[in-house]
Amino acid sequence: MNESGQSMLRVEDETPFIQFEHVYKSFDEKEVLIDVSFDLRKGETLAILGRSGVGKSVTLMHMVGFMKPDRGKINVKGQDIVTLDERQLSSLRRCISLVSQSGGLFDSLSVAENVTYAVNEKHPLSDEETRREAIRFLKMVDLEDLVDLYPKDLSTGHKRCVAIARALAAEPEAILYDEPTTMVDPIQSQLVARLIQRLHNQYKLTAVVVTHDLKLTRRVAERVVLLEEGRVHFLGTRDEFFASGDPLVHEFVMRDHVVALEAGAL
Ligand SMILES: Nc1ncnc2c1ncn2[C@@H]1O[C@H](COP(=O)(O)OP(=O)(O)OP(=O)(O)O)[C@@H](O)[C@H]1O
Ligand SMILES: [Mg+2]
């Protein structure tokens, strides 16, 4: 193949799965995202870090069109999603599953019904099929024994894992995790971290992990975005992040280290 042919192929292969280009977002007078640009490549796991209130969840909401930027472009697989109508947004949300900060399980539905919620919406399943399908996805998170329980019967860590199984059942091309290991004890948090790491290694899922948890970042992230005061302060590989001499990155890494020491997790 000639040189230009090769370069065209390369360009196509490198189309980011998600790309933020100079995104701005304000609420009332408060600027939350300021000139935010970064990309998520197919098959990679990107960690988005930053202190509380910096705009991490808002960034995820933009990726699935629950929020629209005031300025800038958000491309998914090369298509600008800012212009999509509701029907096109629904299909986008089938391709990108968001596991929200709360997990968002329906309390009145069993684990099986929760896990198969998206499947059932597409083609209604019998009770037996619901159970069988749910077990298939619960097996991916090693929790098939929970199939007949209800969310109230589950620990927070198990709720998170069931929420991840539900996201997997939608057979998405990418998963966005919002703080998957916060508000759970260290053992449960390791359970969730191990699960995300395994899904990443086994299925090579494209993923974004919003987190404060640097242990999780070390385990699963290939690249890291650090947001600070509405802007991308750092964007680079995980190794570049942890070796960075940037004072703010260093402070962020050390603060987490101290918190972990205090919690007896190190
Ligand atoms: N729908 C909304 N309307 C008005 N303000 C909002 C809305 N959603 C988020 N904000 C504001 O945007 C800012 C960023 O919020 P966001 O939830 O993204 O923070 P975060 O980085 O996810 O924080 P945390 O780590 O605590 O989850 C906050 O000041 C928040 O109050
Ligand atoms: Mg948040």
Side-chain angles (χ1 to χ4, degrees):
M1 187 180 285
N2 69 26
E3 213 178 292
S4 71
Q6 276 180 355
S7 83
M8 276 175 66
L9 249 189
R10 199 170 62 239
V11 167
E12 195 170 310
D13 285 345
E14 287 179 0
T15 301
F17 188 77
I18 297 177
Q19 185 171 33
F20 274 47
E21 282 182 53
H22 307 292
V23 169
Y24 290 76
K25 180 70 175 180
S26 298
F27 293 106
D28 304 319
E29 293 299 288
K30 189 170 187 273
E31 287 185 298
V32 175
L33 302 181
I34 306 167
D35 197 16
V36 169
S37 298
F38 66 86
D39 63 348
L40 168 71
R41 300 168 191 160
K42 188 136 188 71
E44 83 167 342
T45 298
L46 177 77
I48 301 182
L49 310 179
R51 47 186 111 216
S52 190
V54 79
K56 303 182 298 296
S57 298
V58 164
T59 301
L60 291 187
M61 298 292 213
H62 278 80
M63 291 181 180
V64 282
F66 284 129
M67 288 182 180
K68 285 196 191 298
D70 301 329
R71 261 198 289 159
K73 269 169 86 172
I74 298 167
N75 297 319
V76 175
K77 297 199 283 184
Q79 190 186 13
D80 183 357
I81 65 163
V82 175
T83 58
L84 299 185
D85 61 28
E86 274 309 312
R87 194 183 50 81
Q88 293 166 315
L89 283 174
S90 310
S91 112
L92 172 77
R93 288 173 200 141
R94 277 196 291 277
C95 135
I96 305 177
S97 281
L98 173 63
V99 182
S100 69
Q101 228 159 331
S102 64
L105 297 179
F106 300 112
D107 289 338
S108 58
L109 302 183
S110 69
V111 166
E113 289 161 340
N114 265 291
V115 170
T116 54
Y117 193 81
V119 186
N120 224 332
E121 276 201 321
K122 263 192 270 172
H123 355 260
L125 302 174
S126 68
D127 288 352
E128 199 190 313
E129 286 165 336
T130 298
R131 206 167 175 280
R132 201 170 50 230
E133 272 294 287
I135 288 174
R136 185 157 80 89
F137 289 101
L138 286 167
K139 275 191 174 150
M140 290 168 83
V141 300
D142 282 337
L143 289 176
E144 60 268 35
D145 294 350
L146 305 184
V147 66
D148 297 318
L149 300 182
Y150 279 78
K152 68 173 170 37
D153 307 318
L154 307 180
S155 67
T156 313
H158 280 166
K159 276 187 196 156
R160 295 274 163 88
C161 295
V162 169
I164 294 172
R166 183 176 65 175
L168 290 170
E171 304 197 312
E173 291 181 48
I175 298 202
L176 315 178
Y177 302 94
D178 198 351
E179 310 258 13
T181 58
T182 45
M183 307 291 286
V184 292
D185 65 48
I187 292 174
Q188 299 258 313
S189 130
Q190 274 196 39
L191 174 85
V192 179
R194 262 204 310 274
L195 169 63
I196 294 176
Q197 185 178 28
R198 194 165 54 72
L199 292 175
H200 178 84
N201 293 342
Q202 216 167 325
Y203 303 104
K204 277 280 159 223
L205 277 175
T206 305
V208 176
V209 183
V210 158
T211 187
H212 291 277
D213 181 342
L214 291 184
K215 262 169 114 178
L216 178 67
T217 305
R218 273 188 205 278
R219 265 180 119 137
V220 302
E222 279 146 296
R223 288 192 305 140
V224 174
V225 172
L226 176 67
L227 295 177
E228 173 71 6
E229 296 191 344
R231 296 176 188 272
V232 173
H233 182 84
F234 175 94
L235 171 60
T237 66
R238 173 190 50 196
D239 292 348
E240 286 163 356
F241 178 77
F242 284 104
S244 171
D246 177 88
L248 196 96
V249 174
H250 190 68
E251 188 200 321
F252 197 85
V253 171
M254 287 319 290
R255 189 179 337 120
D256 184 83
H257 195 74
V258 171
V259 170
L261 271 178
E262 283 171 1
L266 287 180

